[in-house]
Amino acid sequence: MAIELPKKKIEPVSQDPNNLILFGQIKVGKTTIVAELDNCLILDFEKGSDYVTALKIKVNSISHLKEICVQINKEGCPYDFIAIDTITALEDFAKPLALSLYKSSPLGSTSDIDDVLKLPRGAGYGYLREAIEKLIGMVSSVCKHVILIGHVKDSAIGSDEDEVNVKTLDLTGKIKRITASKSDAIGLVYRDDDSNLCVSFVNNGEVEVGARPTHLANQKIIVAERQPDGTFVSHWERIYPSLNK
């Protein structure tokens, strides 16, 4: 069958980010912000959802996560969104799977190592990256959109003389870069002066953020507007325009 090459520019298929990363300081409101998103299941890896009303389930192991995904699939994948809370904790959860992947390789089949990150020359991080990708892929297969929630850390960038601290996602080295590169948008969660929950996609050299969808690129968005009684009004349609339809 002959390949038909495009003769004119093709319009975007969607403005919604399929894979979104939100990161911020501890207790800034990352879990609260996704709890305000309709039909979003929170997979709680570090008991951060105890004080919010939400669709949520605590995950205590990788095998438990697999069981949850199987059940979601059996029930017809009813959730439009699934939030992994947090990707930082998922990295720790993935280590046994990474070790299993190494043990399944010809190189590791006879090894008695019990921590894949102890492999020489950082070889274990490749297996950890593969393990994390498998777990995120498993979640992605049972919903339309995945949201990865993470903590923030300050990373020193540049030479000693020109060194600056940049707020970035708290993940290990190449794992962070590859995870971010495969996401459609990565934003910093913060509260403004009125305690509204906001997401910044503005890349000003101080925060490692960005977005492929044009409506998010270099924007600061109020996603959950705080009311006088302490509740929030959600504006997630500002990130996922299809919610307006």
Side-chain angles (χ1 to χ4, degrees):
M1 180 176 175
I3 296 174
E4 185 176 346
L5 298 176
K7 302 299 188 295
K8 62 180 181 178
K9 292 182 179 180
I10 300 171
E11 294 296 323
V13 175
S14 173
Q15 291 181 297
D16 292 351
N18 290 322
N19 188 307
L20 171 66
I21 296 177
L22 299 176
F23 70 104
Q25 300 288 350
I26 294 174
K27 297 182 177 65
V28 73
K30 300 184 295 295
T31 303
T32 300
I33 208 172
V34 293
E36 294 297 320
L37 177 58
D38 288 340
N39 202 26
C40 177
L41 175 66
I42 298 175
L43 298 177
D44 185 352
F45 284 83
E46 53 180 42
K47 300 180 181 178
S49 67
D50 284 353
Y51 300 99
V52 299
T53 300
L55 292 168
K56 56 186 178 181
I57 185 168
K58 292 181 181 179
V59 183
N60 52 45
S61 66
I62 294 305
S63 60
H64 187 209
L65 177 63
K66 291 178 181 178
E67 291 173 3
I68 292 168
C69 290
V70 167
Q71 188 61 36
I72 292 172
N73 190 52
K74 283 182 179 179
E75 296 188 20
C77 301
Y79 304 108
D80 292 322
F81 307 89
I82 295 181
I84 295 176
D85 188 6
T86 64
I87 182 66
T88 309
L90 183 68
E91 183 176 7
D92 290 330
F93 273 70
K95 288 177 183 176
L97 176 57
L99 180 61
S100 176
L101 292 171
Y102 170 65
K103 295 281 190 179
S104 300
S105 70
L107 203 61
S109 59
T110 59
S111 173
D112 59 357
I113 195 170
D114 59 358
D115 182 351
V116 73
L117 298 186
K118 292 180 180 178
L119 288 172
R121 299 178 183 176
Y125 288 96
Y127 292 101
L128 181 59
R129 182 175 66 246
E130 182 182 354
I132 292 173
E133 289 177 347
K134 282 181 178 292
L135 296 176
I136 295 174
M138 183 169 58
V139 174
S140 300
S141 70
V142 294
C143 68
K144 295 178 181 177
H145 308 284
V146 172
I147 301 173
L148 306 176
I149 302 173
H151 297 312
V152 68
K153 70 176 179 180
D154 288 331
S155 293
I157 296 179
S159 64
D160 291 340
E161 293 182 358
D162 302 317
E163 189 176 277
V164 294
N165 283 328
V166 176
K167 287 181 170 52
T168 185
L169 178 65
D170 187 11
L171 279 178
T172 304
K174 289 183 179 179
I175 296 171
K176 177 192 68 179
R177 289 194 293 274
I178 290 173
T179 301
S181 70
K182 292 188 176 181
S183 295
D184 301 309
I186 175 168
L188 178 71
V189 178
Y190 68 98
R191 289 181 185 262
D192 66 11
D193 293 339
D194 297 317
S195 291
N196 299 312
L197 286 166
C198 309
V199 180
S200 174
F201 299 98
V202 177
N203 194 331
N204 57 9
E206 297 177 359
V207 185
E208 286 191 348
V209 297
R212 293 190 181 102
T214 55
H215 71 287
L216 298 179
N218 285 311
Q219 297 297 313
K220 291 182 178 180
I221 297 172
I222 296 176
V223 179
E225 190 173 1
R226 192 178 188 276
Q227 303 303 293
D229 63 359
T231 60
F232 290 90
V233 173
S234 173
H235 294 293
W236 273 100
E237 74 282 353
R238 295 171 179 173
I239 291 182
Y240 295 99
S242 65
L243 295 176
N244 275 323
K245 298 176 181 179

Short mmCIF file of all heavy atoms in Angstrom, two decimals, residues 159-200:
data_model
loop_
_atom_site.label_atom_id
_atom_site.label_comp_id
_atom_site.label_asym_id
_atom_site.label_seq_id
_atom_site.Cartn_x
_atom_site.Cartn_y
_atom_site.Cartn_z
N SER A 159 28.44 26.79 35.92
CA SER A 159 29.77 26.66 36.52
C SER A 159 29.75 27.25 37.92
O SER A 159 28.78 27.88 38.34
CB SER A 159 30.80 27.39 35.65
OG SER A 159 30.51 28.77 35.62
N ASP A 160 30.84 27.07 38.64
CA ASP A 160 30.93 27.59 40.00
C ASP A 160 30.70 29.09 40.05
O ASP A 160 30.05 29.62 40.95
CB ASP A 160 32.29 27.24 40.62
CG ASP A 160 32.44 25.76 40.89
OD1 ASP A 160 31.40 25.08 40.96
OD2 ASP A 160 33.59 25.28 41.01
N GLU A 161 31.23 29.80 39.06
CA GLU A 161 31.11 31.26 39.06
C GLU A 161 29.70 31.72 38.69
O GLU A 161 29.20 32.71 39.21
CB GLU A 161 32.13 31.86 38.09
CG GLU A 161 33.58 31.66 38.53
CD GLU A 161 34.55 32.31 37.56
OE1 GLU A 161 34.09 32.87 36.55
OE2 GLU A 161 35.77 32.25 37.82
N ASP A 162 29.07 31.01 37.76
CA ASP A 162 27.75 31.42 37.25
C ASP A 162 26.64 30.50 37.74
O ASP A 162 25.58 30.44 37.14
CB ASP A 162 27.76 31.43 35.71
CG ASP A 162 28.82 32.36 35.16
OD1 ASP A 162 28.95 33.47 35.71
OD2 ASP A 162 29.50 31.97 34.20
N GLU A 163 26.87 29.80 38.82
CA GLU A 163 25.92 28.80 39.29
C GLU A 163 24.62 29.46 39.75
O GLU A 163 24.61 30.47 40.44
CB GLU A 163 26.54 28.02 40.45
CG GLU A 163 25.74 26.81 40.88
CD GLU A 163 26.47 26.03 41.96
OE1 GLU A 163 27.34 25.21 41.60
OE2 GLU A 163 26.17 26.26 43.15
N VAL A 164 23.50 28.88 39.32
CA VAL A 164 22.18 29.34 39.75
C VAL A 164 21.38 28.15 40.24
O VAL A 164 21.59 27.01 39.80
CB VAL A 164 21.42 30.05 38.61
CG1 VAL A 164 22.11 31.32 38.21
CG2 VAL A 164 21.26 29.13 37.40
N ASN A 165 20.45 28.40 41.15
CA ASN A 165 19.55 27.36 41.62
C ASN A 165 18.26 27.40 40.82
O ASN A 165 17.63 28.46 40.70
CB ASN A 165 19.24 27.53 43.12
CG ASN A 165 20.40 27.07 43.98
OD1 ASN A 165 21.12 26.15 43.60
ND2 ASN A 165 20.58 27.70 45.12
N VAL A 166 17.89 26.27 40.27
CA VAL A 166 16.69 26.18 39.45
C VAL A 166 15.75 25.18 40.09
O VAL A 166 16.16 24.07 40.45
CB VAL A 166 17.04 25.74 38.01
CG1 VAL A 166 15.77 25.54 37.19
CG2 VAL A 166 17.94 26.77 37.35
N LYS A 167 14.49 25.57 40.24
CA LYS A 167 13.49 24.64 40.78
C LYS A 167 13.15 23.62 39.71
O LYS A 167 12.81 23.96 38.58
CB LYS A 167 12.24 25.41 41.22
CG LYS A 167 12.44 26.22 42.50
CD LYS A 167 11.18 26.93 42.91
CE LYS A 167 11.32 27.54 44.30
NZ LYS A 167 12.50 28.37 44.49
N THR A 168 13.21 22.35 40.09
CA THR A 168 13.01 21.28 39.12
C THR A 168 12.31 20.09 39.79
O THR A 168 12.18 20.04 41.02
CB THR A 168 14.36 20.84 38.52
OG1 THR A 168 14.14 19.87 37.50
CG2 THR A 168 15.28 20.25 39.58
N LEU A 169 11.87 19.16 38.98
CA LEU A 169 11.18 17.97 39.47
C LEU A 169 12.15 17.08 40.23
O LEU A 169 13.27 16.83 39.78
CB LEU A 169 10.59 17.21 38.28
CG LEU A 169 9.86 15.90 38.55
CD1 LEU A 169 8.61 16.13 39.38
CD2 LEU A 169 9.50 15.23 37.22
N ASP A 170 11.71 16.60 41.39
CA ASP A 170 12.56 15.77 42.24
C ASP A 170 12.56 14.31 41.77
O ASP A 170 11.84 13.47 42.29
CB ASP A 170 12.08 15.86 43.70
CG ASP A 170 13.04 15.15 44.66
OD1 ASP A 170 14.15 14.80 44.23
OD2 ASP A 170 12.67 14.95 45.83
N LEU A 171 13.37 14.07 40.75
CA LEU A 171 13.62 12.72 40.25
C LEU A 171 15.11 12.61 39.95
O LEU A 171 15.81 13.61 39.84
CB LEU A 171 12.81 12.44 38.97
CG LEU A 171 11.35 12.04 39.11
CD1 LEU A 171 10.73 11.86 37.73
CD2 LEU A 171 11.17 10.78 39.93
N THR A 172 15.56 11.39 39.78
CA THR A 172 16.98 11.15 39.56
C THR A 172 17.39 11.47 38.12
O THR A 172 16.77 10.99 37.17
CB THR A 172 17.32 9.67 39.84
OG1 THR A 172 16.91 9.36 41.16
CG2 THR A 172 18.82 9.43 39.71
N GLY A 173 18.40 12.34 37.97
CA GLY A 173 19.11 12.59 36.73
C GLY A 173 18.38 12.34 35.43
O GLY A 173 17.43 13.02 35.08
N LYS A 174 18.85 11.33 34.68
CA LYS A 174 18.31 11.03 33.36
C LYS A 174 16.85 10.60 33.44
O LYS A 174 16.09 10.81 32.48
CB LYS A 174 19.13 9.93 32.69
CG LYS A 174 20.52 10.37 32.24
CD LYS A 174 21.23 9.26 31.51
CE LYS A 174 22.60 9.70 31.03
NZ LYS A 174 23.33 8.61 30.34
N ILE A 175 16.43 10.01 34.56
CA ILE A 175 15.04 9.60 34.72
C ILE A 175 14.14 10.82 34.66
O ILE A 175 13.10 10.82 34.01
CB ILE A 175 14.86 8.83 36.04
CG1 ILE A 175 15.67 7.54 36.01
CG2 ILE A 175 13.38 8.54 36.31
CD1 ILE A 175 15.74 6.82 37.33
N LYS A 176 14.57 11.89 35.32
CA LYS A 176 13.80 13.14 35.30
C LYS A 176 13.73 13.69 33.89
O LYS A 176 12.65 14.07 33.41
CB LYS A 176 14.44 14.16 36.23
CG LYS A 176 13.75 15.52 36.22
CD LYS A 176 14.57 16.57 36.93
CE LYS A 176 15.84 16.87 36.16
NZ LYS A 176 16.67 17.91 36.81
N ARG A 177 14.86 13.74 33.19
CA ARG A 177 14.89 14.34 31.86
C ARG A 177 14.03 13.56 30.88
O ARG A 177 13.30 14.15 30.08
CB ARG A 177 16.34 14.41 31.35
CG ARG A 177 17.18 15.46 32.08
CD ARG A 177 18.47 15.75 31.34
NE ARG A 177 19.37 14.61 31.33
CZ ARG A 177 20.23 14.34 32.30
NH1 ARG A 177 20.29 15.12 33.38
NH2 ARG A 177 21.04 13.30 32.22
N ILE A 178 14.10 12.23 30.94
CA ILE A 178 13.34 11.42 30.00
C ILE A 178 11.85 11.48 30.33
O ILE A 178 11.00 11.58 29.44
CB ILE A 178 13.86 9.97 30.00
CG1 ILE A 178 15.25 9.93 29.36
CG2 ILE A 178 12.90 9.04 29.27
CD1 ILE A 178 15.96 8.61 29.45
N THR A 179 11.51 11.43 31.63
CA THR A 179 10.11 11.54 32.02
C THR A 179 9.53 12.87 31.58
O THR A 179 8.41 12.93 31.04
CB THR A 179 9.98 11.39 33.56
OG1 THR A 179 10.51 10.13 33.96
CG2 THR A 179 8.52 11.46 33.98
N ALA A 180 10.28 13.96 31.78
CA ALA A 180 9.81 15.27 31.37
C ALA A 180 9.69 15.38 29.86
O ALA A 180 8.73 15.97 29.34
CB ALA A 180 10.74 16.35 31.91
N SER A 181 10.64 14.81 29.13
CA SER A 181 10.63 14.91 27.67
C SER A 181 9.45 14.18 27.05
O SER A 181 8.98 14.54 25.97
CB SER A 181 11.94 14.37 27.08
OG SER A 181 12.02 12.96 27.23
N LYS A 182 8.94 13.17 27.74
CA LYS A 182 7.80 12.40 27.22
C LYS A 182 6.46 12.98 27.64
O LYS A 182 5.41 12.44 27.29
CB LYS A 182 7.93 10.94 27.67
CG LYS A 182 9.09 10.20 27.02
CD LYS A 182 9.07 8.73 27.33
CE LYS A 182 10.19 8.01 26.58
NZ LYS A 182 10.19 6.54 26.84
N SER A 183 6.50 14.06 28.42
CA SER A 183 5.27 14.70 28.86
C SER A 183 4.91 15.85 27.91
O SER A 183 5.78 16.47 27.31
CB SER A 183 5.43 15.24 30.28
OG SER A 183 5.61 14.17 31.19
N ASP A 184 3.62 16.12 27.81
CA ASP A 184 3.15 17.21 26.94
C ASP A 184 3.29 18.56 27.63
O ASP A 184 3.37 19.59 26.96
CB ASP A 184 1.70 16.97 26.55
CG ASP A 184 1.52 15.65 25.82
OD1 ASP A 184 2.26 15.41 24.85
OD2 ASP A 184 0.66 14.85 26.23
N ALA A 185 3.29 18.54 28.96
CA ALA A 185 3.42 19.79 29.70
C ALA A 185 3.93 19.49 31.10
O ALA A 185 3.60 18.45 31.68
CB ALA A 185 2.08 20.53 29.77
N ILE A 186 4.73 20.40 31.64
CA ILE A 186 5.23 20.28 33.01
C ILE A 186 5.10 21.65 33.66
O ILE A 186 5.59 22.65 33.14
CB ILE A 186 6.67 19.74 33.05
CG1 ILE A 186 7.20 19.73 34.49
CG2 ILE A 186 7.61 20.50 32.14
CD1 ILE A 186 8.49 18.96 34.66
N GLY A 187 4.38 21.69 34.80
CA GLY A 187 4.11 22.97 35.42
C GLY A 187 4.38 22.97 36.91
O GLY A 187 4.30 21.93 37.58
N LEU A 188 4.69 24.14 37.44
CA LEU A 188 4.95 24.33 38.87
C LEU A 188 3.66 24.77 39.56
O LEU A 188 3.05 25.77 39.18
CB LEU A 188 6.03 25.38 39.07
CG LEU A 188 6.36 25.72 40.53
CD1 LEU A 188 7.10 24.57 41.19
CD2 LEU A 188 7.17 27.01 40.62
N VAL A 189 3.26 24.03 40.60
CA VAL A 189 2.07 24.37 41.39
C VAL A 189 2.47 25.34 42.50
O VAL A 189 3.46 25.13 43.20
CB VAL A 189 1.43 23.10 41.99
CG1 VAL A 189 0.23 23.46 42.85
CG2 VAL A 189 1.03 22.13 40.89
N TYR A 190 1.68 26.39 42.65
CA TYR A 190 1.96 27.36 43.72
C TYR A 190 0.65 28.04 44.11
O TYR A 190 -0.39 27.89 43.43
CB TYR A 190 2.98 28.40 43.25
CG TYR A 190 2.47 29.33 42.16
CD1 TYR A 190 1.99 30.61 42.47
CD2 TYR A 190 2.47 28.93 40.83
CE1 TYR A 190 1.52 31.45 41.48
CE2 TYR A 190 2.00 29.77 39.83
CZ TYR A 190 1.53 31.03 40.16
OH TYR A 190 1.05 31.86 39.18
N ARG A 191 0.67 28.76 45.22
CA ARG A 191 -0.48 29.56 45.64
C ARG A 191 -0.17 31.04 45.41
O ARG A 191 0.92 31.51 45.73
CB ARG A 191 -0.79 29.33 47.12
CG ARG A 191 -1.39 27.95 47.41
CD ARG A 191 -1.70 27.81 48.89
NE ARG A 191 -2.16 26.46 49.21
CZ ARG A 191 -3.44 26.12 49.35
NH1 ARG A 191 -4.38 27.04 49.20
NH2 ARG A 191 -3.77 24.89 49.65
N ASP A 192 -1.15 31.78 44.87
CA ASP A 192 -0.94 33.21 44.69
C ASP A 192 -1.31 33.97 45.97
O ASP A 192 -1.60 33.35 47.00
CB ASP A 192 -1.72 33.72 43.47
CG ASP A 192 -3.24 33.64 43.64
OD1 ASP A 192 -3.71 33.38 44.77
OD2 ASP A 192 -3.95 33.83 42.64
N ASP A 193 -1.32 35.27 45.92
CA ASP A 193 -1.57 36.08 47.10
C ASP A 193 -2.96 35.88 47.68
O ASP A 193 -3.21 36.18 48.86
CB ASP A 193 -1.35 37.57 46.79
CG ASP A 193 0.11 37.88 46.49
OD1 ASP A 193 0.98 37.09 46.90
OD2 ASP A 193 0.37 38.92 45.83
N ASP A 194 -3.90 35.37 46.86
CA ASP A 194 -5.27 35.12 47.32
C ASP A 194 -5.51 33.65 47.67
O ASP A 194 -6.65 33.22 47.83
CB ASP A 194 -6.27 35.56 46.25
CG ASP A 194 -6.20 37.06 45.99
OD1 ASP A 194 -6.11 37.82 46.97
OD2 ASP A 194 -6.22 37.45 44.80
N SER A 195 -4.41 32.88 47.77
CA SER A 195 -4.45 31.45 48.09
C SER A 195 -5.13 30.60 47.02
O SER A 195 -5.54 29.48 47.28
CB SER A 195 -5.13 31.21 49.44
OG SER A 195 -4.32 31.69 50.50
N ASN A 196 -5.27 31.16 45.79
CA ASN A 196 -5.73 30.33 44.68
C ASN A 196 -4.62 29.35 44.31
O ASN A 196 -3.43 29.67 44.43
CB ASN A 196 -6.04 31.20 43.46
CG ASN A 196 -7.15 32.19 43.74
OD1 ASN A 196 -8.19 31.84 44.28
ND2 ASN A 196 -6.93 33.45 43.37
N LEU A 197 -5.00 28.16 43.87
CA LEU A 197 -4.03 27.17 43.42
C LEU A 197 -3.75 27.39 41.94
O LEU A 197 -4.67 27.36 41.12
CB LEU A 197 -4.56 25.76 43.68
CG LEU A 197 -4.54 25.33 45.14
CD1 LEU A 197 -5.39 24.08 45.36
CD2 LEU A 197 -3.12 25.08 45.62
N CYS A 198 -2.49 27.62 41.64
CA CYS A 198 -2.10 28.01 40.29
C CYS A 198 -1.04 27.06 39.74
O CYS A 198 -0.35 26.36 40.49
CB CYS A 198 -1.53 29.43 40.30
SG CYS A 198 -2.58 30.64 41.13
N VAL A 199 -0.93 27.05 38.42
CA VAL A 199 0.12 26.28 37.74
C VAL A 199 0.85 27.21 36.78
O VAL A 199 0.21 27.89 35.96
CB VAL A 199 -0.44 25.07 36.97
CG1 VAL A 199 0.69 24.31 36.29
CG2 VAL A 199 -1.21 24.14 37.89
N SER A 200 2.16 27.27 36.90
CA SER A 200 2.97 28.09 36.01
C SER A 200 3.70 27.22 35.00
O SER A 200 4.38 26.26 35.36
CB SER A 200 4.00 28.90 36.81
OG SER A 200 4.87 29.58 35.93
#
